[in-house]
Amino acid sequence: MRVTVVHSFYDDAVPSGENTVVRAQVEELSKTYTVELVQRRTEELIHEPGYKVRSAFYASGLGINRSIVDEVNASEPDIVHVHNTFPNIGTKWLKDLKVPHLTTLHNYRAICSNALLWRDGSACTDCPDKGPHHAVVHGCYRGSRVSTAPLALSTWRVGRDPLIRDAAAVIALNYDALRVFKSYFPDSNVLRLPNFGPVDAGAARCLNHERSGWLYIGRLTEEKNVTWLVRNAWELGEKLTLAGDGPLAQEVSSLASNTNGAVEYVGRRSESDVERLLTTARGIVIPSLWSEGVPTVALKALALGCPILISDTCGAAFELTRNGAGETFGVGVSGSLESAARSIAGNQRTYGDSARRLFEDDYSPAVWSGRMAEVIEQQVRSHRAAGEVRR
């Protein structure tokens, strides 16, 4: 069976969990199927004449990327798996696809211009509920009304976008996202199928119960709530190490330097450094304010027996901490972070073992492969059967 994966890669100069996930999925699928990756890369296109106009056209849903159509057809797929189409691919080409396609929604861009369902410090569903003009008014994409307009136009077509409307199955990453997408796309076949961790089963050799200190790894942005974490790091009871980069890097560095060593900011780290940090930290802290899906770093942590301490605002918070793999806390709830951290610190071995078991049960490559194979083969069978009936 032939599977074609379609993805617009974000600029690799900015770390992207989504890019990592797609590469890993292509590699995993290739163990079972003949897989072709049809891709566009922002860093390769951005300097071409007319790029901004062309990408805005695709982002708005008005334009057809003919080169993508040709490449997909040339790969002669039995099924197409679409990931990110923004900003280099668009979605209109899907209307003419002759084989079924799956759509994985890694974020909320299909209904929200900034992809977060979050604005000005709190959850926001103004666009899908009241109309996408709200995004333009607030300049939700990069603070620019002009840049937001094409995206707002694309979300105006909620329920009519072929990315969703014509999909054989729409894949959500957690139960919260499943609930949201089912509410806005009631006629679509929406399934929960979380990503898998990028650390293979051999990571069990790295399990370590002699751990200390807490760890934050990720983008330094407002919705990630990292400045709040630095200001409240004293509740953790041990040193907090922050690794990552982003718009708030300078502010985070300044705040950390004034904590008398309680917080250390180490900047962006390599993949090997990240794994080393995860094998020695007491737990990883995810303080996000927005309902992010299944953070790649959380899956790495589970694979390495590193418990998760996560804000209950995150969509996957309870999935990532179930069966004792970690604890949730309420941002701004007095004593909540401190109590959750103390629970993990007092039962390190139990939490660590539970984290690893959760990875093996729900987030390992083998589990994902089995679930994805069921989806692929069921949809291909259904498509072929429907074709036989029509003939």
Side-chain angles (χ1 to χ4, degrees), residues 10 18 86 106-128 132 134-136 138-144 147-152 154-155 222-223 290-291:
Y10 299 109
E18 192 171 319
F86 172 78
H106 294 266
N107 51 45
Y108 296 108
R109 197 175 300 283
I111 55 176
C112 172
S113 293
N114 70 14
L116 305 176
L117 287 182
W118 185 89
R119 177 173 59 81
D120 295 338
S122 61
C124 175
T125 58
D126 282 353
C127 286
H134 288 85
V136 179
H138 296 286
C140 287
Y141 182 66
R142 296 185 173 178
S144 167
S147 297
T148 301
L151 289 163
S154 73
T155 62
E222 185 183 1
E223 69 273 8
W290 79 286
S291 179

Side-chain angles (χ1 to χ4, degrees), residues 67-123:
S67 63
I68 286 290
V69 176
D70 293 342
E71 278 190 61
V72 170
N73 288 337
S75 67
E76 299 182 342
D78 295 291
I79 193 166
V80 176
H81 186 182
V82 185
H83 289 270
N84 178 45
T85 61
F86 172 78
N88 303 311
I89 294 176
T91 63
K92 198 171 181 179
W93 60 277
L94 287 162
K95 293 193 307 179
D96 301 321
L97 199 62
K98 304 302 182 185
V99 297
H101 79 268
L102 311 175
T103 295
T104 290
L105 298 176
H106 294 266
N107 51 45
Y108 296 108
R109 197 175 300 283
I111 55 176
C112 172
S113 293
N114 70 14
L116 305 176
L117 287 182
W118 185 89
R119 177 173 59 81
D120 295 338
S122 61

